[in-house]
Amino acid sequence: MTGAIDAVEADRALKSKHRAMWALGDYTVVAAELIPELGRRLVAACSVRAGQRVLDVAAGSGNAAIPAALVGADVVASDLTPELLEVGRQSADRKGAVLEWREADAESLPFGDADFDTVMSCVGVMFAPHHAATAAELLRVCRPGGTIGLINWTPEGFIGQMFATLKPYAPPPPPGAQPPPLWGQEEHVRELFGDDVTDLGMRRETVTVDRFATPEAFRDFFTTFYGPTIAVYRNIADDRERTAALDRELADLARRHAGPSGAMEWEYLLVTARRRA
């Protein structure tokens, strides 16, 4: 019994840490300025239409949830971080989108079985630490024959490589936590969903990011607005040499990926499937 209690407390502490990390900086600026079209791409890939009941898991400030609501779907946007949900509410109000916002853990969703026609996530659920638990929840709340749609950063793409760059400077992950970019590997996704889905489609695509005049501008943007990057820098704040080394590595990463004009292509895996009836 003591071991079970300890595991529950450890999970609660981990989720609290994740919630605080995503509240750092301002992720809504990242979503709005760098990848606004990804949410619309996911909504289109899932063929979301008016009257459907749609759940956006780890929705952040509504990058996919708001476009889904604007086509007339009955949308619930859920996320672990209430600060992001509040920004999303304000954004939805400005755009005339009507939807529900719920604080929720992707690994333990507060919804009934088979509640939704479409369950989706745009670079969101990949950051939940326990992948099998997350996949099980996506399947559980989707009705038989319903659609599951995901956009996840690939390990080989720019954001996956950014996380690889950050890893040596970050605290070690807790036991059982899995790297987010695994969700961008086709075989990993197949293993997670197994025989519980049909019509599993996966294709790698890119989004063009033409926001940064220099590699250093990219680095400074991410150290200002992106919670995971800010958290890593806080971890090494007392070590000037390691901080300077990470500064160089992040700028070098952007330099390697930038084209002649400075634009970058960030690769992601688009996943669509139907829950087996």
Side-chain angles (χ1 to χ4, degrees), residues 179-218:
L182 280 179
W183 273 100
Q185 287 186 333
E186 292 88 345
E187 187 55 37
H188 186 65
V189 174
R190 287 191 190 95
E191 291 176 358
L192 288 172
F193 290 130
D195 293 333
D196 292 317
V197 299
T198 63
D199 303 323
L200 178 60
M202 294 184 283
R203 65 177 184 266
R204 295 189 178 217
E205 299 181 349
T206 62
V207 58
T208 301
V209 177
D210 191 9
R211 166 66 170 72
F212 306 111
T214 66
E216 290 75 18
F218 151 77

Side-chain angles (χ1 to χ4, degrees), residues 41-169:
R41 291 186 190 180
L42 182 59
V43 169
C46 293
S47 300
V48 173
R49 59 187 183 275
Q52 286 187 326
R53 184 157 165 78
V54 175
L55 175 64
D56 187 4
V57 185
S61 53
N63 195 12
I66 292 173
L70 289 173
V71 302
D74 176 13
V75 180
V76 179
S78 68
D79 198 274
L80 190 65
T81 304
E83 291 87 346
L84 296 179
L85 295 175
E86 181 54 38
V87 174
R89 287 190 189 96
Q90 296 171 15
S91 178
D93 288 344
R94 289 193 299 271
K95 296 174 180 177
V98 178
L99 62 157
E100 180 183 352
W101 301 86
R102 290 282 300 274
E103 185 176 343
D105 179 355
E107 297 178 4
S108 182
L109 293 168
F111 308 108
D113 296 352
D115 254 3
F116 296 92
D117 300 301
T118 297
V119 179
M120 62 183 184
S121 184
C122 184
V123 294
V125 295
M126 64 181 293
F127 293 101
H130 306 109
H131 296 186
T134 301
E137 282 294 271
L138 298 178
L139 289 162
R140 181 183 67 80
V141 300
C142 185
R143 67 168 176 80
T147 299
I148 295 173
L150 307 171
I151 285 180
N152 301 315
W153 301 119
T154 66
E156 300 84 2
F158 180 78
I159 296 297
Q161 289 301 296
M162 185 185 76
F163 277 103
T165 301
L166 294 172
K167 183 178 179 180
Y169 300 92

